[in-house]
Structures are given as structure tokens and as C-alpha cells.
Amino acid sequence: MTDAEDRKPQSDEARSAFRPPSGVAAPADGESSTTSEFALPEGLAVPKAGPSESEVTSEFALPEGLDAPQATPAESYSVSAFTPPSGMPAVNLTKDLPWQDRMRTMLRMPVAERPAPESPQRHDDETGPAVPRVLDLTLRIGELLLAGGEGAEDVEAAMFAVCRSYGLDRCEPNVTFTLLSISHQPSLVEDPVTASRTVRRRGTDYTRLAAVFHLVDDLSDPETQISLEEAYRRLAEMRRNRHPYPTWVLTSASGLLAGAASLLVGGDLIVFVAALLGAMLGDRLAWYCAGRGLPEFYQFAVAAMPPAAIGITLTLTHVEVKASAVITGGLFALLPGRALVAGVQDGLTGFYITAAARLLEVLYFFVSIVAGVLVVLYFGVQLGAKLNPDAALGTGDDPVVQIIASMLLSLAFAILLQQERSTVLAVTLNGGVAWCVYGAMHYAGEISPVASTAAAAGLVGLFGQLMSRYRFASALPYTTAAIGPLLPGSATYFGLLAIAQSEVDRGLVSLSKAVALAMAIAIGVNLGSEISRLFLKVPGAASAAGRRAAKRTRGF
């Protein structure tokens, strides 16, 4: 036996009492080592072992089905060893794109895969803002958006953008019809902080809506530093600001809308004046009921009565006018097209609870309008008023008048929605183009009114989405007023008149047509908005992390 063999420990001594603990790899050779290596996670390849003694003492065998690569320990512990086998998806969130797209992209991603905020907003305190205050600011901004009629998806995106702008990345907003909530968990080992807010009052003011979008856009811009106190100050100014149009302008706009709608269905100058006076009187009565604290259901019913009463009066006095056009024009000023579009949009984007609540609200408004008009029509028929619904439809013989009427209708609708003056001209032209498309398809091309309405509404949604992306604002001011000429006012009136004349079957058919037209408008607007995304670069699309759609159950 040589001297080297004498110095070599025996087989029982080779198993040292200080064996490597669980989770620590054995040395590569038989010699003792004070710098042991941590074992690789399960499922990853390990370096090829050295002498046979290390294979005996190692407790971390290679999993079945994997081959050990020829690599050194230094190579096996690279940074890439801690990424998933397929690699982490590279999320490309270009800052020159609208913040809505960037926030929707991250909301659809798992929390662990969302990129961290790059440059949070400046704080008065070096330690950062208090989490409850950031969540409160987020809820207040979301409340203004939801109360203004914004879709649930856009409200969630805005809330998420505000939180990320102040460095709170692990946030989950949740929006329903009347309740807003948001939860922030600083880390996996800390308790989450949750806050909620209830939306009790709703008001239509697109000027305030645009100001809120401008604030969120500034907060999302890393080059614009806005402190928490400054954001609260700007939000308080939005709440204190008065509406851009006084009450008498709103009342006049309501009358102009009804008069333009009566021209749209074949009325003349006398019909225009009668519809204008009836809508203005109904608007004043609705304001009076609102001041008395009556619910909106009764406000809509009262507002629908004066135009119907004036139409019945013209018929009883044997005035040679289309009295049915007066009633139809009054209905255009009351149909809840804004709420209908928002409800269908929420349903198409996966917010089914909010969509169901919005559509139920639309149903109540529609029932109240039906009740108000039906009461007046019933008494008019009993008094001997002979109303011919076939004479109320416009035939498209004078397209110039109808185009001008559609633009006036969109203009009046924009004023009623309290839009910014800079957007009124664009939405007025958008409404005229929508009616041109509808008239060309329905009157000239003899295509069904439902398909023509859907195509025209799709064009409205496409234009509105492109304008909103160009100006980094909400799409509602560019779409809601433009769909005014497409609302099913005449189909609704025909159904009510048939029911009042005891022709229930005919009335239900006409009301079903009105519902189909309303759904065509809502779906067309949403489809046009989605089509616009095909022409614009979506953040993260190259890595399949773009605006992912909600998972569908396929009926299971």
C-alpha cells in the first residue's frame, strides 16, 4: 500500500457525520469543501457529477426523463435559470400610446407578470404617499367616471392608472353599477388594504368627464409630476365647476332635438314648432318633478306627455299636419340611448353584472316613456283622434332636409350632454355622416333598417374611437350624440299607437323592431370601437400580452 493510499480515509469514514443538509448539493469531488452550492430547483438540469464518491453522497438525483448537460456550476446558476422554461414574455408598453390601452393590457395580465411602475409621481414625503389616500383619490376619480356614464372597463383602467402612477402596482380595481372597490397588497406577506365607494348620484356632464380623463392622462405621463395634493385640488375644481350651458340653453336644446327629429320623419314647419314646444314643456315639467324629489321613472313619464298631448290636440282640431311626427319627435328627446350603449358595451367586454343593471335601468326608462305616451294616446283615441301611423314615416324624398335635421339633432344632443364646445362641431358632422350612411343603405339600397342602423352606428363608433385616441380623451363625447338620428323613435311610437288602438299583436311587433334597432345601435358602436384597434398598434401585441379578451366558458 502506498503512502497516498494510507492517507485516504476508509469507506466508513467517507460518510462524514456532517452530511450536506436537504437543499444543498454535495461537493463535486471527494475532498471537503467549505463553499457548498445550493441545488437547482426541481425540474431543472444539474451539472454532471465528478468522481463516483459524490454520486454516492448526493441526495439530489436528476429527475427522470432529463439529461444532465455538460456545464460547470458557474454556468448553471445564471439568471436565466430562474425564469420559466419558455422565458418571460417581453411586455412592450409604449408610452406614446393612450394610457387606456396600456392599463387594459396590464389589467388582463396576472399580477406577478405586471411590470413595476417605472417613475412614480412626486410626493411631498420622501417615503411616499399614504396608501389609503391614494386609494381614496382613485375611488373619487372612478366615481366621477362611472357617474358620467363611462363603461366599466374604462373606469377600471383609469383607476388602475391612478394607482400605478403613485407606485402602487399590486392593485385590483373592481367596478359594478353602484359600487367601486379597490384592493392593494404591498407584498405576499402583508395584509391587503381595501377601500370602496358607492355611486349614489348620476349626472350627465361630458365636460367634467373630459377633465377627469385629462387628469388621469397627466398622472399616467411619467414626464408630468403631479403631487397627491395637486391631484386632490384639481379634482375638487372639477366638482365645483358649473355646467358649461345654463338651464335655458338645455331646455332650448331639448326642443330643438324634438323639432329636428320630427323633420327627420317627414314633418313640416308647423310640426317642427309643435314638437319643439312640446319637448320644452316636457323638459320643464321633468325639472319640476326632479325638484320635488320624484324618481326618474315618473320624470320620464311626465316629460313624455306634453308632445303626445300636442299631437292629439292638432288631430282633434283637424289641422292638416302629421301629428304623429310631433309625438315621434318628442320620443327622440327621451330615449336613453347613452345608457343603452354603455350597458351593451359592458356586456360585450365581460362586465355582466354592470351590464345587467344598466339594461334594467334602460328598461325602466323605456317603460316610463311608454306609460306616459300610452295614457295620452288612449284618451286621444277615446276622444276620436284618428292617427294614421303609416303617414308619419319619412320616405327620404328630400335627403338634404333630412341631413340638416340629423345634424341639428346631433348638435342639440351634444348640448344636452354638456359637451365641451370644442367637440360639438365634430360630433355634429359625425351625426350627419351616420345618417347619410343609413339613408344610402336603407332608402337607396333598400337594405333592412336593422342592418343599415348597425352599419351607421359602427361608423360612428369607429370615428369616435379614433378621435378619442388622437386627443387622449373619452370616446363618449364623439359617439353618444352622433347616434341620436338613429334612435328608434318612430318604431316605438307605432308600437304604442297600435296598443292604444287595441292591436296588441301589431304593437308588440313594432316594439320588438324598436328593441332590435336599439341593440343594433349599441352593438354597432362597440364593434366600430373594436375595429379601430385593428388599425392602431396595441401595446404588448407582439408578445401575446396585449388586450386579452375575457375567457369564455363556451357554455360549460
Side-chain angles (χ1 to χ4, degrees), residues 245-256:
Y245 305 105
T247 303
W248 67 269
V249 174
L250 298 179
T251 302
S252 302
S254 179
L256 179 62

Side-chain angles (χ1 to χ4, degrees), residues 466-525:
L466 292 176
M467 286 297 297
S468 67
R469 287 164 174 261
Y470 174 74
R471 302 192 62 176
F472 290 81
S474 173
L476 288 180
Y478 300 100
T479 59
T480 306
I483 65 173
L486 306 176
L487 291 176
S490 57
T492 304
Y493 165 71
F494 296 157
L496 299 180
L497 180 58
I499 294 176
Q501 293 176 346
S502 301
E503 298 179 5
V504 180
D505 295 339
R506 181 182 177 187
L508 293 179
V509 170
S510 185
L511 290 179
S512 300
K513 179 182 176 181
V515 173
L517 290 173
M519 294 297 294
I521 292 173
I523 295 175
V525 169

Side-chain angles (χ1 to χ4, degrees), residues 64-118:
E64 292 185 82
L66 293 179
D67 296 331
Q70 299 291 338
T72 62
E75 294 174 344
S76 61
Y77 297 113
S78 62
V79 177
S80 61
F82 297 94
T83 60
S86 60
M88 296 294 292
V91 181
N92 179 25
L93 298 175
T94 309
K95 297 182 179 62
D96 57 352
L97 291 173
W99 58 265
Q100 296 96 319
D101 284 348
R102 290 185 278 126
M103 295 304 112
R104 288 193 191 102
T105 300
M106 286 183 282
L107 278 174
R108 295 297 186 185
M109 296 171 59
V111 178
E113 298 180 9
R114 295 173 184 171
E118 297 181 1

Side-chain angles (χ1 to χ4, degrees), residues 297-530:
F297 181 89
Y298 302 104
Q299 297 176 27
F300 273 79
V302 170
M305 289 182 177
I310 292 179
I312 295 295
T313 303
L314 292 176
T315 303
L316 292 176
T317 54
H318 303 287
V319 179
E320 295 297 330
V321 295
K322 292 182 179 180
S324 298
V326 178
I327 305 175
T328 302
L331 290 176
F332 268 86
L334 299 176
L335 292 177
R338 173 183 58 87
L340 175 67
V341 172
V344 174
Q345 179 182 358
D346 289 340
L348 294 176
T349 52
F351 294 86
Y352 301 113
I353 297 178
T354 307
R358 288 186 189 270
L359 294 178
L360 184 61
E361 181 188 38
V362 172
L363 178 62
Y364 271 102
F365 289 162
F366 188 76
V367 170
S368 66
I369 296 171
V370 167
V373 176
L374 200 56
V375 169
V376 178
L377 289 180
Y378 177 78
F379 283 105
V381 171
Q382 297 300 319
L383 293 175
K386 298 185 181 300
L387 298 173
N388 182 15
D390 296 330
L393 275 176
T395 59
D397 294 335
D398 197 349
V400 176
V401 174
Q402 290 192 328
I403 293 174
I404 295 176
S406 64
M407 295 177 65
L408 288 177
L409 194 153
S410 300
L411 172 64
F413 206 170
I415 295 175
L416 288 175
L417 294 173
Q418 305 278 1
Q419 291 190 195
E420 292 181 298
R421 291 178 173 85
S422 60
T423 64
V424 171
L425 178 60
V427 75
T428 301
L429 296 176
N430 195 14
V433 172
W435 181 258
C436 289
V437 173
Y438 172 81
M441 294 182 64
H442 179 54
Y443 295 125
E446 297 182 353
I447 302 176
S448 68
V450 176
S452 303
T453 300
L459 185 63
V460 169
L462 176 63
F463 174 79
Q465 190 64 228
L466 292 176
M467 286 297 297
S468 67
R469 287 164 174 261
Y470 174 74
R471 302 192 62 176
F472 290 81
S474 173
L476 288 180
Y478 300 100
T479 59
T480 306
I483 65 173
L486 306 176
L487 291 176
S490 57
T492 304
Y493 165 71
F494 296 157
L496 299 180
L497 180 58
I499 294 176
Q501 293 176 346
S502 301
E503 298 179 5
V504 180
D505 295 339
R506 181 182 177 187
L508 293 179
V509 170
S510 185
L511 290 179
S512 300
K513 179 182 176 181
V515 173
L517 290 173
M519 294 297 294
I521 292 173
I523 295 175
V525 169
N526 182 264
L527 182 61
S529 300
E530 295 299 329

Side-chain angles (χ1 to χ4, degrees), residues 122-348:
R122 176 169 48 86
H123 313 303
D124 297 334
D125 189 1
E126 294 181 356
T127 60
V131 173
R133 294 200 67 197
V134 175
L135 298 184
D136 178 72
L137 175 67
T138 303
L139 290 174
R140 291 177 182 272
I141 290 177
E143 178 189 11
L144 287 180
L145 293 176
L146 188 62
E150 193 65 62
E153 185 182 33
D154 292 325
V155 176
E156 279 196 358
M159 294 173 64
F160 189 69
V162 175
C163 287
R164 284 187 61 85
S165 65
Y166 287 103
L168 307 183
D169 56 335
R170 301 178 63 89
C171 291
E172 289 295 336
N174 187 23
V175 176
T176 58
F177 184 59
T178 58
L179 182 64
L180 299 168
S181 63
I182 188 168
S183 177
H184 168 66
Q185 189 174 14
S187 65
L188 295 177
V189 297
E190 297 183 62
D191 295 333
V193 180
T194 304
S196 61
R197 193 174 184 88
T198 302
V199 179
R200 302 189 182 277
R201 296 190 61 185
R202 300 178 182 273
T204 304
D205 189 343
Y206 282 1
T207 299
R208 181 179 297 172
L209 190 70
V212 176
F213 262 78
H214 184 64
L215 173 60
V216 178
D217 183 47
D218 289 343
L219 290 174
S220 304
D221 188 1
E223 299 179 358
T224 304
Q225 296 295 328
I226 300 177
S227 65
L228 194 61
E229 299 300 330
E230 175 68 14
Y232 265 108
R233 184 190 64 80
R234 290 178 58 175
L235 193 62
E237 288 182 355
M238 298 176 196
R239 291 181 175 273
R240 287 196 302 264
N241 285 346
R242 299 178 61 88
H243 297 303
Y245 305 105
T247 303
W248 67 269
V249 174
L250 298 179
T251 302
S252 302
S254 179
L256 179 62
L257 192 155
S262 65
L263 294 179
L264 208 58
V265 294
D268 52 12
L269 183 59
I270 299 178
V271 171
F272 176 86
V273 175
L276 184 144
L277 295 178
M280 292 176 63
L281 180 58
D283 181 77
R284 287 291 86 201
L285 290 176
W287 277 100
Y288 177 79
C289 294
R292 294 290 180 175
L294 289 178
E296 286 185 307
F297 181 89
Y298 302 104
Q299 297 176 27
F300 273 79
V302 170
M305 289 182 177
I310 292 179
I312 295 295
T313 303
L314 292 176
T315 303
L316 292 176
T317 54
H318 303 287
V319 179
E320 295 297 330
V321 295
K322 292 182 179 180
S324 298
V326 178
I327 305 175
T328 302
L331 290 176
F332 268 86
L334 299 176
L335 292 177
R338 173 183 58 87
L340 175 67
V341 172
V344 174
Q345 179 182 358
D346 289 340
L348 294 176

Side-chain angles (χ1 to χ4, degrees), residues 56-67:
V56 176
T57 58
S58 175
E59 294 183 348
F60 296 92
L62 189 65
E64 292 185 82
L66 293 179
D67 296 331

